[in-house]
Amino acid sequence: RHPVGRAIVRTPLRLVFAIALSAQPGRANDLFIRGALLVDGAGGPPRAHVDILIEDGRICAIEPSGSLVARGQVIDAAGITARPGLIDAHVHFVAAAGSSYRHDSDKTIRKLNRQHLRAYVACGLTTVLDAGAFPEVARDIQGWLAAGNAGPRYLTTGPYIRPPDGYGNPRFGAEATPAAVEAKLDVIQSLAGAGVKIALEAALWYETERAGL
């Protein structure tokens, strides 16, 4: 059984936003994908006419069409390609593309973020890592997704740790003492942080680059 992030695309690029679903006996959260062309990401050739059974959000069976009993919601995937969800391991929601040129307000960025969350799923990305987020932005996104709105699984490192006058947006704050670092780590933990991002001072960055580190 494997965790599933669903991404079902019409060959070759277009995402299917809505597919006619027919209810069959089974648990309400079961999903049966019938007759897909499967690209599983393991390096082998695509597999045609494949049925995929998902129970409780996990893939429990992948078999040639007709081998499994359909149950739950059924997607007729004839002519459709199924593949694992993609992961974008470095995104930022503190700004949107072009924000610095447009001087977008926080309200505008918040609106764009919600459009972009839907767009990630539309492009087959089922997980994103926000590698540097203002706490209020991260909490807004977490709340938006928890309310059932469309979007990928959201991971974040929260606000990164940075020295005074160091690299990065001053809104992330700055830490000059161990106590300040501890306080920042508490904030990151409150966001269920997936890790900790540390911003280096420019001088140290250049030195490490020159040393080949």
Side-chain angles (χ1 to χ4, degrees), residues 99-116:
S99 285
S100 59
Y101 297 100
R102 295 189 303 266
H103 305 292
D104 290 339
S105 66
D106 287 352
K107 182 178 179 180
T108 296
I109 292 172
R110 183 171 181 259
K111 180 179 179 181
L112 290 171
N113 282 344
R114 295 181 175 185
Q115 293 177 5
H116 295 163

Side-chain angles (χ1 to χ4, degrees), residues 30-91:
D30 288 351
L31 178 67
F32 188 84
I33 301 172
R34 175 189 289 133
L37 175 68
L38 175 65
V39 179
D40 62 13
R47 296 165 56 186
H49 309 298
V50 169
D51 291 347
I52 304 168
L53 177 62
I54 298 167
E55 295 179 344
D56 292 326
R58 301 181 74 87
I59 298 171
C60 65
I62 300 175
E63 300 291 346
S65 288
S67 302
L68 300 172
V69 177
R71 59 180 182 269
Q73 289 187 322
V74 177
I75 294 177
D76 181 2
I80 297 174
T81 299
R83 59 165 174 74
L86 300 177
I87 299 172
D88 191 331
H90 195 141
V91 304

Side-chain angles (χ1 to χ4, degrees), residues 9-208:
V9 295
R10 284 210 181 274
T11 317
L13 294 176
R14 288 182 296 150
L15 177 81
V16 176
F17 287 99
I19 303 173
L21 301 177
S22 58
Q24 300 290 336
R27 291 176 296 187
N29 55 351
D30 288 351
L31 178 67
F32 188 84
I33 301 172
R34 175 189 289 133
L37 175 68
L38 175 65
V39 179
D40 62 13
R47 296 165 56 186
H49 309 298
V50 169
D51 291 347
I52 304 168
L53 177 62
I54 298 167
E55 295 179 344
D56 292 326
R58 301 181 74 87
I59 298 171
C60 65
I62 300 175
E63 300 291 346
S65 288
S67 302
L68 300 172
V69 177
R71 59 180 182 269
Q73 289 187 322
V74 177
I75 294 177
D76 181 2
I80 297 174
T81 299
R83 59 165 174 74
L86 300 177
I87 299 172
D88 191 331
H90 195 141
V91 304
H92 287 291
F93 289 97
V94 296
S99 285
S100 59
Y101 297 100
R102 295 189 303 266
H103 305 292
D104 290 339
S105 66
D106 287 352
K107 182 178 179 180
T108 296
I109 292 172
R110 183 171 181 259
K111 180 179 179 181
L112 290 171
N113 282 344
R114 295 181 175 185
Q115 293 177 5
H116 295 163
L117 288 166
R118 293 190 292 268
Y120 275 118
V121 176
C123 293
L125 283 97
T126 54
T127 301
V128 297
L129 173 61
D130 191 351
F134 302 145
E136 63 273 19
V137 172
R139 291 193 178 100
D140 180 72
I141 291 172
Q142 290 169 340
W144 168 260
L145 296 174
N149 293 292
R153 181 187 180 202
Y154 176 77
L155 305 176
T156 184
T157 59
Y160 49 78
I161 295 173
R162 60 187 290 271
D165 300 320
Y167 170 81
N169 193 313
R171 281 181 62 180
F172 282 112
E175 291 70 51
T177 66
V181 172
E182 289 287 347
K184 177 64 70 65
L185 292 174
D186 287 343
V187 172
I188 295 170
Q189 188 173 34
S190 75
L191 297 170
V196 177
K197 184 173 181 178
I198 301 174
L200 302 176
E201 292 181 274
L204 180 57
W205 174 262
Y206 295 142
E207 290 297 323
T208 55

